[in-house]
Amino acid sequence: MAKKTVADIDPQGKAVLVRVDFNVPQDDAGVITDDRRIRMALPTIQSILGRGGKAILMSHLGRPAGKGFEQAFSLAPVAARLAELLGTPVELAADTGGPDSHAKAKALPAGGVLVLENVRFNKGEKKGDDAAYVDGLATLADAYVNDAFGTCHRTEASMYAVPKAVKALGKAVTSGFLVEKEIQYLSDAIATPKRPFVAILGGKKVSDKIAVITNLLSICDHVLIGGAMAYTFSLARGGKTGKSLVEPDKLELAKELLAKGGDKLVLPVDTHCADDFSSGANKQVVKAGEIPDGFEGLDIGPETAKHYAAIIRSAGTVVWNGPMGVFEMPPFDAGTKAVADAVADATAKGAITIIGGGDSAAAVEQLGYAEKVSHVSTGGGASLEMLEGKAFETVAVLDDK
Ligand code: AMP
């Protein structure tokens, strides 16, 4: 069901409590090395400020112990960077829903921004049901907005108990623009796909993606397999996999998926393999299931790439999670590149194309295709769980349209 967004609330003169994902990477000196997550939250923040609202922002950063303030995990550098990006002053509260947060929230003018300290400084955040902690945050809000997709698969207090409490007080709880877009692509587009619906699954392990493969097999027309996980399937069919990365304890599972998938489950027909895990190794292309002893598969072969590209180019909807090979190490990026190129072509022809987070998003960015697909998800674990068909309580709690 469609959820209300920040655009559906009137923030004029109101305090809008926004759960953002400001979990940015920092170097040893605490300097932010990539501020993308802060920039991605700007449309939601600016929408609140532009309509005369006050934005109170909360986020986690890293993994503090949950026993109070730790300098290394302070949101102070994030607040400073946000002030630069917005071009307005940004206040920082020393606590998360405590006396300082309430005093600073009360003094905040319309158009003002307040960042609360790291939610994970409080043990109540992970625990989820610490009433005093939840209440301290919920009573700051005239409305609550969830714009932290990367954390949507976790029912930590700021993600679930707080919006529930805000709702119980009769106030609006909605998604932000970032979460709205993720739901639109990772859930809605998949629920009513334009066909043919093609899934591309790669990466290291079958075991990480069992639930995704199972779910997508039940809703897709074709599920293309690449990456090292293809070798476990190959072994399950009696193929030779040399010293490739395989999961011998997942052979039965692979056999079950092969039986369940039938023609829908498409496996590589050839493999680019090498005698060492390096660019300079001795390389050869062999038929799938015929990897010689002493060699390991590092990418799908050219025939497979051609075959997969043809299927992808005629798709109506594409979902991709996991690279086709070791894309970080040329020439074993060729399969992933060919697939990315076909996904870009499909997009240009009107297909809805969705790249799951984590390594596939990194691969698409690195290879220069991020702007040529419909959607690159910002969440790793959250994106995978949504593709598994899981319902998120943190999304369910938001007001319906
Ligand atoms: P995942 O996190 O499961 O999506 O896996 C992504 C990682 O799998 C990337 O770092 C790839 O380099 C790696 N990968 C993909 N194909 C292979 C392969 N054939 N052998 C070893 N690693 C691979």
Side-chain angles (χ1 to χ4, degrees):
M1 183 168 314
K3 294 292 177 181
K4 283 195 176 159
T5 80
V6 62
D8 295 313
I9 59 175
D10 174 12
Q12 171 79 44
K14 291 184 186 153
V16 185
L17 181 64
V18 190
R19 177 51 159 103
V20 284
D21 179 0
F22 283 166
N23 186 29
V24 290
Q26 289 167 284
D27 65 17
D28 291 342
V31 176
I32 297 167
T33 53
D34 182 353
D35 65 0
R36 201 161 8 155
R37 287 194 170 142
I38 306 175
R39 282 186 281 112
M40 284 190 317
L42 293 179
T44 292
I45 298 169
Q46 281 164 331
S47 160
I48 294 165
L49 304 181
R51 291 181 288 151
K54 313 170 194 184
I56 302 178
L57 311 175
M58 55 179 175
S59 176
H60 71 284
L61 176 67
R63 293 169 186 255
K67 294 178 183 162
F69 182 81
E70 289 177 59
Q71 188 65 50
F73 299 107
S74 170
L75 280 167
V78 171
R81 183 79 192 103
L82 178 63
E84 283 170 20
L85 290 167
L86 287 172
T88 64
V90 170
E91 291 276 342
L92 177 69
D95 54 26
T96 317
D100 195 47
S101 302
H102 279 268
K104 290 200 165 115
K106 211 167 160 196
L108 206 61
V113 184
L114 172 65
V115 172
L116 309 183
E117 256 306 356
N118 193 337
V119 289
R120 288 192 185 160
F121 286 163
N122 310 272
K123 62 177 182 329
E125 174 64 9
K126 285 252 175 194
K127 230 175 112 212
D129 60 355
D130 179 325
Y133 172 66
V134 170
D135 209 50
L137 285 169
T139 52
L140 284 171
D142 295 318
Y144 169 97
V145 170
N146 175 351
D147 214 18
F149 182 70
T151 322
C152 275
H153 57 318
R154 299 212 172 101
T155 48
E156 293 173 5
S158 62
M159 296 296 301
Y160 184 60
V162 172
K164 232 170 110 179
V166 172
K167 201 172 181 162
L169 294 170
K171 293 165 179 167
V173 299
T174 76
S175 70
F177 294 127
L178 205 60
V179 166
E180 178 194 23
K181 190 164 178 240
E182 294 280 5
I183 298 171
Q184 188 190 330
Y185 282 103
L186 291 170
S187 176
D188 300 353
I190 288 169
T192 49
K194 278 202 293 176
R195 296 194 180 269
F197 182 10
V198 177
I200 312 157
L201 297 174
K204 262 189 191 138
K205 295 180 176 172
V206 181
S207 53
D208 288 343
K209 313 237 164 130
I210 300 164
V212 160
I213 300 174
T214 308
N215 185 44
L216 292 178
L217 271 178
S218 70
I219 53 181
C220 289
D221 300 297
H222 309 281
V223 177
L224 317 180
I225 300 286
M229 71 157 92
Y231 313 130
T232 299
F233 283 109
S234 174
L235 202 58
R237 285 169 137 189
K240 281 180 63 188
T241 53
K243 59 173 184 176
S244 303
L245 201 62
V246 288
E247 293 176 276
D249 58 327
K250 293 290 176 291
L251 287 183
E252 282 313 310
L253 173 81
K255 282 180 193 164
E256 277 168 34
L257 289 170
L258 283 167
K260 182 170 189 272
D263 288 347
K264 265 191 192 181
L265 194 65
V266 187
L267 293 170
V269 291
D270 59 353
T271 302
H272 195 181
C273 57
D275 63 355
D276 187 29
F277 192 88
S278 69
S279 292
N282 292 310
K283 311 171 196 66
Q284 55 176 311
V285 173
V286 298
K287 280 192 183 157
E290 296 182 12
I291 300 174
D293 291 342
F295 279 72
E296 62 185 306
L298 294 177
D299 193 13
I300 54 173
E303 277 306 311
T304 308
K306 224 159 81 187
H307 181 46
Y308 284 9
I311 297 174
I312 293 163
R313 284 198 172 92
S314 61
T317 307
V318 177
V319 169
W320 182 8
N321 187 292
M324 297 291 96
V326 186
F327 73 96
E328 303 94 333
M329 190 167 71
F332 306 108
D333 56 348
T336 302
K337 235 178 193 160
V339 161
D341 204 52
V343 174
D345 281 352
T347 318
K349 285 199 291 181
I352 304 282
T353 56
I354 303 153
I355 314 300
D359 271 313
S360 4
V364 164
E365 302 252 351
Q366 186 188 307
L367 301 172
Y369 286 92
E371 306 302 321
K372 297 178 181 164
V373 298
S374 310
H375 180 63
V376 181
S377 177
T378 55
S383 151
L384 202 58
E385 288 196 21
M386 214 165 234
L387 294 179
E388 288 170 2
K390 279 193 188 152
F392 289 179
E393 284 178 282
T394 56
V395 173
V397 73
L398 305 177
D399 294 339
D400 294 320
K401 280 237 190 210

